[in-house]
Amino acid sequence: MIEKTENIFNQNAFSTHTGLTALLIGFSIVLISIVLYYILSRLFLRFAKRSENQNIKEAWKKFKNPFLVLILLIDFIIIKELLTLDDKMYLYIRQFVKVFVIFCITWFLVRAINLTREMILRRFDMEQEDNLKARKVYTQFRVLERIIIFVVILIAIAIALMTFDGIKRIGISLFASAGMAGIIIGFAAQKMLGSILAGFQIALTQPIRIDDVVIVENEWGWIEEITLTYVVVRIWDKRRLIVPTTYFIEKPFQNWTRVSADILGTVYIYTDYHLPVDKLREAFMQILEESGLWDGITGVMQVTNATDRSLEIRALMSAVNSPTAWDLRVYVRERLIGFLQQNFPESLPRTRVEMIPPSLE
């Protein structure tokens, strides 16, 4: 009996000693991995600073966190082999490792898609005046990026589900029964799928682009963001109008920069019939040249209407973009009104009353 007790005690002591040794070895592996990762990170950043290619630095920023997680996962797999585990715990850990590997691969793919999009868009300057091509490419790649990431994550979830024996049928159905799943999901989430398809259609046909100037729901603003399900319109007073993507497919709206960024602005002035229009036209051209906002292409003043009370005079001018056109219109209107007040005050709109003297008979 005493010998049996001593054998059990020796086995427990040996097991404890082995466990502590495994933990110490595991801790050393993790510590060495982190130190090597830090050294590699510093060397890579130093190399990126010396290199003229900025893509290397951007790539390291994208992949450094997934790379660190992957290293720790490899350390975990090594430590797992050093520990003595029962069959049930071993299966649980093995399943965890499978799912985490799928997660890491998906993370790498998403970051690779982000990096590809940034590398392509870096060739186009959104700050230039005529940025039509840049806005077109920005819109296409931003929306397509979201679509591709959505598909990658959906496939990753399906593959992760297929690693579980109990719910393997769910993962298989996402691949083998796409038709039936599409019908079921279509009835359950018809509006959401319609918004996603509308986002995909916007990316291809491009009725709107990033930084387009639009009028939506009687609000004037810029397209700030386009997602698969909604569009963010930045209103001129810094409000944000959130519109579903289906709106731009189903309803009419104004797009002021569909073809080019330049735009015409109009100012209407109402005057009396006594006004010498040629003098006002000369003042208008001088105001345009002094404004610093006019692009020098279009500058026309015409009498567009004559009522029984006043003349309607339209001043037409052009600018490089809609915000500049707005400022130019405000500037020209103020200057024209000041010109009339100083030089032709009698030509401002007035109401005439004819007094007929009484008859002497």
Side-chain angles (χ1 to χ4, degrees):
M1 184 69 182
I2 297 174
E3 292 180 355
K4 187 175 181 180
T5 304
E6 290 179 353
N7 290 333
I8 294 174
F9 178 78
N10 292 332
Q11 289 178 359
N12 291 334
F14 178 77
S15 177
T16 303
H17 178 73
T18 305
L20 290 175
T21 304
L23 289 176
L24 289 175
I25 294 174
F27 179 77
S28 302
I29 291 173
V30 172
L31 183 62
I32 293 172
S33 299
I34 293 176
V35 171
L36 291 176
Y37 170 81
Y38 178 77
I39 295 173
L40 179 63
S41 175
R42 300 298 298 177
L43 292 175
F44 201 88
L45 288 176
R46 183 175 298 180
F47 173 75
K49 290 180 179 179
R50 294 179 179 178
S51 176
E52 297 180 357
N53 190 356
Q54 295 296 323
N55 294 331
I56 299 177
K57 185 177 181 181
E58 294 297 327
W60 179 247
K61 288 182 179 179
K62 293 289 183 183
F63 292 108
K64 64 178 183 179
N65 291 332
F67 185 64
L68 176 60
V69 173
L70 181 61
I71 290 176
L72 295 178
L73 178 61
I74 295 173
D75 292 342
F76 178 79
I77 295 173
I78 296 174
I79 295 171
K80 173 179 70 69
E81 299 298 330
L82 297 176
L83 298 175
T84 303
L85 303 172
D86 57 15
D87 294 338
K88 190 174 182 180
M89 182 61 67
Y90 183 81
L91 290 176
Y92 285 150
I93 294 177
R94 183 179 179 184
Q95 184 64 37
F96 169 78
V97 170
K98 288 181 181 180
V99 174
F100 212 83
V101 167
I102 295 172
F103 166 75
C104 288
I105 294 174
T106 305
W107 196 0
F108 272 100
L109 288 176
V110 170
R111 289 301 177 91
I113 294 169
N114 295 147
L115 180 63
T116 303
R117 188 256 305 169
E118 291 181 3
M119 290 172 59
I120 295 174
L121 295 185
R122 197 177 294 120
R123 303 174 185 175
F124 300 90
D125 185 12
M126 288 285 289
E127 301 299 328
Q128 60 183 355
E129 296 294 343
D130 188 10
N131 59 357
L132 179 63
K133 184 177 181 180
R135 290 188 289 110
K136 179 179 179 180
V137 175
Y138 262 71
T139 302
Q140 284 181 333
F141 275 88
R142 284 185 180 275
V143 178
L144 290 176
E145 176 195 21
R146 289 183 172 92
I147 294 174
I148 295 173
I149 290 176
F150 175 78
V151 173
V152 168
I153 293 176
L154 182 64
I155 294 175
I157 293 174
I159 295 174
L161 290 174
M162 292 175 67
T163 62
F164 294 91
D165 295 332
I167 55 176
K168 191 173 182 178
R169 295 186 300 274
I170 300 177
I172 295 175
S173 64
L174 291 176
F175 293 101
S177 304
M180 183 60 67
I183 294 174
I184 297 173
I185 296 173
F187 282 109
Q190 185 177 1
K191 290 186 177 180
M192 184 186 71
L193 290 177
S195 298
I196 293 174
L197 292 176
F200 185 73
Q201 186 175 352
I202 286 174
L204 295 179
T205 60
Q206 293 196 338
I208 55 174
R209 305 182 184 95
I210 298 295
D211 210 32
D212 264 346
V213 179
V214 295
I215 295 181
V216 179
E217 297 293 319
N218 296 321
E219 296 283 0
W220 180 80
W222 295 265
I223 300 295
E224 184 176 53
E225 183 181 1
I226 301 176
T227 69
L228 292 179
T229 55
Y230 64 89
V231 176
V232 180
V233 181
R234 186 177 78 253
I235 309 301
W236 62 273
D237 57 359
K238 296 185 178 182
R239 290 178 294 152
R240 298 299 190 273
L241 182 64
I242 311 300
V243 185
T245 52
T246 53
Y247 181 95
F248 296 94
I249 304 298
E250 300 173 353
K251 296 183 179 181
F253 63 95
Q254 295 185 37
N255 189 336
W256 288 12
T257 55
R258 179 69 178 85
V259 179
S260 62
D262 57 336
I263 193 170
L264 296 178
T266 56
V267 170
Y268 287 94
I269 299 293
Y270 297 90
T271 68
D272 190 73
Y273 275 78
H274 287 93
L275 175 72
V277 179
D278 291 338
K279 297 291 185 181
L280 185 63
R281 185 176 290 111
E282 293 176 1
F284 167 66
M285 295 305 299
Q286 183 178 357
I287 291 170
L288 287 180
E289 294 173 355
E290 294 175 354
S291 66
L293 303 172
W294 183 45
D295 62 3
I297 298 176
T298 302
V300 179
M301 175 173 282
Q302 296 171 319
V303 178
T304 55
N305 195 12
T307 68
D308 59 341
R309 296 179 181 273
S310 63
L311 296 177
E312 181 187 74
I313 301 176
R314 185 188 69 179
L316 188 65
M317 66 215 79
S318 60
V320 293
N321 51 48
S322 55
T324 306
W326 171 265
D327 293 337
L328 180 61
R329 289 171 58 196
V330 173
Y331 177 80
V332 168
R333 186 183 293 111
E334 292 177 356
R335 291 290 302 274
L336 286 177
I337 293 174
F339 175 80
L340 291 175
Q341 290 174 341
Q342 294 179 6
N343 298 278
F344 302 99
E346 71 282 358
S347 296
L348 295 173
R350 61 179 62 189
T351 300
R352 292 182 174 83
V353 178
E354 183 179 358
M355 305 294 296
I356 301 176
S359 176
L360 299 177
E361 296 180 0

